[in-house]
Amino acid sequence: LRPMANDAAPAMDNIFINGDMAIDQENEGSAVSVTTTTKYFLDMFLCHGANHGAVVDAQRVEGFGGFGMAAKLTVTTADTLASNEYGHGIKTFVEYKNCQVVADRYLAFAFKFKGNVTGTYSVALVSGDGSNSYVTTFAYITADAVQVVPMMVPLPASKVVAGATGAGLAMYIGVAAIGAKATDTLDEWQAGEFFSATVAADWETTIGNYIAVTGLYGGADLIPAEFPFRANIDELLRCQRYYCKSYRQGFKPGALWAGSRATRVPSTDAYISTPISFPATMRSVPTVTLYSPATGNSGYVRNGSTSSDYAVSLIASIGDCGFSTVVLSSPANDTNVIIYQYVADARM
């Protein structure tokens, strides 16, 4: 067996979920094009939307530096930042309930970074409600090289503030800005929402430019000598607190069949009993979307007896642990079998 590096004590649990970028339930490695709207592109990680003309593909890709997967943003439409503009970057949240283990301590975090543009890059921590920010920087020296970025940030409890979606902290990596969202005040907490240092590199000026991150760890006071991997099932369950699906892992929502659910109509009616338990208790009551497994159409179920899709009017009795009733737009017969897939979304 491999000895623990430097005989170090075991690290505390990673407050960043999916820090090894291994889980991508929604897209399963497919690229997500991002312009101005912030979008999830793998579990717990978003591409921060820009307010200028650049467009990026956000995608889970083959990893580096000892990690199987990484989060990558690649420029597909280039633009140069102008006054009061900000660019894309990699963003993640920590739920307020999970921040207490590091509140009033130093948040020690580290990640592995790679890009093709050298220069100064920003990392920003922002209170969940956007009221306070801590912006720091690192110098990326060699293009296309893997660089470890370790940081230590004081985290007073007063800066961990729950936002409307339940986040206590947001982290931004690689965002560049000019004007209102940039700051010259570095390495200290300040009032307001800032994504970037004024000196940050504008890496979106050429098509094909990219940034990539993997191995994100966060804990109190100490950066471990080795990344504390969790078992894949444990990491998946943590992700499923925020997003889960009935599809088999490896299949995107909208895929055909891939592990569908079925129920028999109890009587000739539009009300269908669908007693579903989510794999994990979700952060809040989720938004549930049903899919026809035969066509992949969202907002529909499949009547297996008539080989036709039925539109869904309502999903009722939804809680943070599951849902139990589907109302169809038209009645089905009591001999019919209804087949469906679902996605439940309670992300921050």
Side-chain angles (χ1 to χ4, degrees), residues 91-111:
K91 178 181 181 181
T92 189
F93 291 112
V94 180
E95 188 177 354
Y96 177 75
K97 295 176 181 178
N98 295 334
C99 290
Q100 304 315 307
V101 294
V102 292
D104 270 340
R105 300 175 73 173
Y106 279 88
L107 172 60
F109 65 90
F111 55 87

Side-chain angles (χ1 to χ4, degrees), residues 145-284:
V146 179
Q147 182 170 318
V148 178
V149 181
M151 293 187 171
M152 193 85 72
V153 174
L155 187 59
S158 61
K159 308 306 179 186
V160 180
V161 184
T165 62
L169 283 175
M171 175 182 279
Y172 300 80
I173 300 173
V175 177
I178 296 175
K181 293 301 181 180
T183 180
D184 290 318
T185 303
L186 303 180
D187 300 317
E188 63 181 81
W189 285 95
Q190 60 183 309
E193 184 181 51
F194 298 97
F195 306 140
S196 171
T198 303
V199 297
D202 181 7
W203 57 272
E204 298 183 75
T205 58
T206 303
I207 292 174
N209 284 357
Y210 74 92
I211 61 171
V213 169
T214 191
L216 176 60
Y217 168 82
D221 303 331
L222 176 69
I223 297 172
E226 293 189 356
F227 183 87
F229 286 98
R230 288 187 279 253
N232 183 262
I233 184 60
D234 295 336
E235 203 74 61
L236 177 59
L237 283 169
R238 291 172 191 241
C239 292
Q240 288 172 330
R241 173 169 170 78
Y242 306 94
Y243 182 97
C244 66
K245 62 183 182 181
S246 57
Y247 294 87
R248 294 197 300 271
Q249 298 303 313
F251 291 85
K252 296 193 300 182
L256 304 187
W257 302 108
S260 57
R261 304 297 195 264
T263 186
R264 186 171 292 277
V265 181
S267 60
T268 301
D269 202 345
Y271 288 79
I272 308 299
S273 176
T274 55
I276 289 294
S277 295
F278 301 136
T281 300
M282 304 199 74
R283 180 190 65 82
S284 63

